[in-house]
Amino acid sequence: MTAPVCLSPGEARRIAIAATLLDPGADSLDSLLERLRIIQLDSITTLARAHQLTLTARLPHLTAPQVDTLLQDGPQPLTFEYPAHAHALVPLGDWPLWAFRRRAARRRPEYPPPAERRRILALLGEHGPLPLRGLRPPNAPASAGWTWGPVKQAVEFMLWAGDLICVRRTTGWQRLFDLPERHLPAHLHTDALTDDACLTDLLGHAGRALGAATATDLADYLRIPARHAARLLPQTLLLPATVPGWTEPTWVHPDALHPPHPAPGQALLLGPFDNLIWNRPRTRRLFGFTHILEAYKPAHRRIYGYYVCPLLTDDRLTARADLTRTGHHLTVLRTLPEPDAPHDTPQRITQACHRLQKALGLQSTGPSGAGWARYSAAPQRDSGSVRAGSGEPAGRR
């Protein structure tokens, strides 16, 4: 048996950053999708869509509208939407690898009966891609808030089961559902792979995207039981590894070894759903940083703010910024340094705000030195009680 690869915590951290193509960045949207495989989506629009923040952080030569144009307007879709990690963009070529989840969805009691499936498929066959409202029978009630009506439940489970596909959205961000055969080449429109074959390939992809990770981290990336990951990881290309302080079995992708040192002076604000930090226990293990998403908490229970983006400087997470978009302006509501943040952190966060502003096509800048001093006190308020600029966080929908 091959001896485990011994990594220091610093090496594991640099491997993780480089593996997600944050340093160095991706050279194209195709290469980025091929590396990460899963780009999480979310409905919050306070700053930008979650996928826009993830993609533009790694593609600084593209703005968020340009990224969405590439995703939406090509003759052949690059991605489809699927509950991979959470609801996410997944490369179209990975459709065969999610057969295990499609089969599982068909076994669920919520999977709609044949008559309802035939009704929905007939509508799409006749009319082409339709939003959810176009799939409801006349006078059927719409879903309210977070609740799912019967048609929405049927459509969601048909999407998970592969009866439907979503490759585009309307300008109002409504999903357009369609028949998979209209968008998938014949060689991709298949469920031929066994569950173990699907999971083995996907675990290899997850290992490439994470660089260095525990078996639990890799399972979380795909939202599969950890026992399946532990059983199948020895069949992948990943190498056993050890990292001081990491108590679980750890794996490293051979291509991720020997990462480059971070570009000096790098400063980058990460969206809260970014692949590098969406796994909170892993983020604490890698960076000693507690990442919290508080957008869905009542205002009086928030510690850091509504939509808080961690600041990556070199290979450390050194601060947080509570950000919003006010019209065409990037508004910095608050900035908070970590206790051991370097002395130049105010300049770094200003640099990162300028980069984010450009990526999102917004105006205004990050906080000044005075703004940093004013908003770096111990967290004790809700997200709207102080702000460096006008405007409040937008609603979560």
Side-chain angles (χ1 to χ4, degrees):
M1 182 176 178
T2 305
V5 177
C6 298
L7 302 173
S8 71
E11 288 171 329
R13 189 165 56 248
R14 287 192 293 274
I15 285 172
I17 295 169
T20 65
L21 294 181
L22 281 166
D23 188 19
D27 56 11
S28 70
L29 182 56
D30 284 332
S31 65
L32 179 52
L33 293 171
E34 184 180 2
R35 173 63 62 86
L36 296 183
R37 302 286 178 162
I38 296 170
I39 309 293
Q40 189 167 340
L41 296 165
D42 192 78
S43 62
I44 300 175
T45 58
T46 294
L47 180 62
R49 298 285 180 188
H51 71 284
Q52 293 174 330
L53 294 172
T54 299
L55 294 171
T56 57
R58 294 158 174 83
L59 296 165
H61 59 289
L62 293 178
T63 64
Q66 289 171 329
V67 163
D68 277 354
T69 297
L70 290 172
L71 288 171
Q72 295 271 349
D73 293 347
Q76 177 78 15
L78 295 178
T79 61
F80 66 101
E81 295 190 20
Y82 197 68
H85 174 77
H87 195 71
L89 296 174
V90 178
L92 196 72
D94 280 0
W95 178 277
L97 301 182
W98 294 93
F100 80 97
R101 187 154 291 167
R102 293 194 290 272
R103 285 189 285 264
R106 295 178 201 128
R107 296 192 293 266
R108 294 278 295 270
E110 299 92 342
Y111 187 51
E116 178 67 353
R117 300 200 305 271
R118 287 194 297 268
R119 184 190 70 81
I120 291 171
L121 294 175
L123 284 172
L124 295 173
E126 180 180 357
H127 299 289
L130 290 171
L132 179 63
R133 66 173 182 269
L135 298 173
R136 295 191 187 103
N139 303 318
S143 301
W146 293 99
T147 61
W148 286 12
V151 177
K152 179 172 173 59
Q153 177 169 293
V155 169
E156 294 291 352
F157 274 88
M158 290 178 71
L159 185 78
W160 297 349
D163 303 321
L164 306 179
I165 194 171
C166 174
V167 296
R168 290 183 175 88
R169 290 187 178 236
T170 68
T171 54
W173 196 242
Q174 295 182 73
R175 286 178 291 174
L176 288 172
F177 300 96
D178 204 355
L179 304 176
E181 55 266 28
R182 289 179 174 157
H183 304 280
L184 291 167
H187 71 283
L188 294 180
H189 193 200
T190 175
D191 283 359
L193 291 176
T194 66
D195 286 7
D196 278 5
C198 292
L199 291 172
T200 301
D201 282 358
L202 286 171
L203 284 166
H205 293 330
R208 187 71 184 92
L210 294 176
T214 67
T216 302
D217 296 338
L218 293 159
D220 174 79
Y221 202 81
L222 307 172
R223 292 292 168 88
I224 63 173
R227 67 181 184 277
H228 294 331
R231 176 173 59 86
L232 294 171
L233 278 167
Q235 300 178 32
T236 69
L237 294 176
L238 305 184
L239 304 174
T242 61
V243 182
W246 293 26
T247 58
E248 294 186 40
T250 299
W251 300 81
V252 62
H253 197 286
D255 293 346
L257 295 170
H258 315 298
H261 284 278
Q266 171 179 264
L268 185 64
L269 285 160
L270 302 177
F273 300 98
D274 192 277
N275 297 52
L276 181 65
I277 59 172
W278 72 28
N279 183 328
R280 297 178 194 179
R282 181 172 187 260
T283 302
R284 282 194 296 271
R285 197 183 324 120
L286 282 169
F287 298 98
F289 183 96
T290 301
H291 175 47
I292 302 175
L293 176 65
E294 300 182 289
Y296 298 113
K297 290 182 179 180
H300 68 277
R301 291 183 55 199
R302 296 180 196 136
I303 298 172
Y304 299 110
Y306 182 87
Y307 203 76
V308 175
C309 296
L311 177 71
L312 178 67
T313 56
D314 302 327
D315 63 351
R316 297 173 58 196
L317 295 176
T318 58
R320 319 162 195 259
D322 186 12
L323 304 173
T324 190
R325 186 185 66 247
T326 309
H328 296 291
H329 296 266
L330 174 64
T331 300
V332 182
L333 301 170
R334 195 184 196 196
T335 55
L336 288 160
E338 288 294 281
D340 58 349
H343 66 87
D344 65 345
T345 300
Q347 292 74 34
R348 296 286 194 98
I349 201 166
T350 298
Q351 173 190 346
C353 283
H354 280 298
R355 173 172 171 163
L356 180 61
Q357 163 205 327
K358 182 178 178 181
L360 301 182
L362 302 177
Q363 302 167 19
S364 290
T365 62
S368 65
W372 173 268
R374 180 180 178 189
Y375 299 118
S376 62
Q380 57 186 2
R381 52 90 180 161
D382 69 12
S383 65
S385 61
V386 295
R387 58 189 183 275
S390 62
E392 296 288 348
R396 65 185 179 187
R397 283 193 177 273

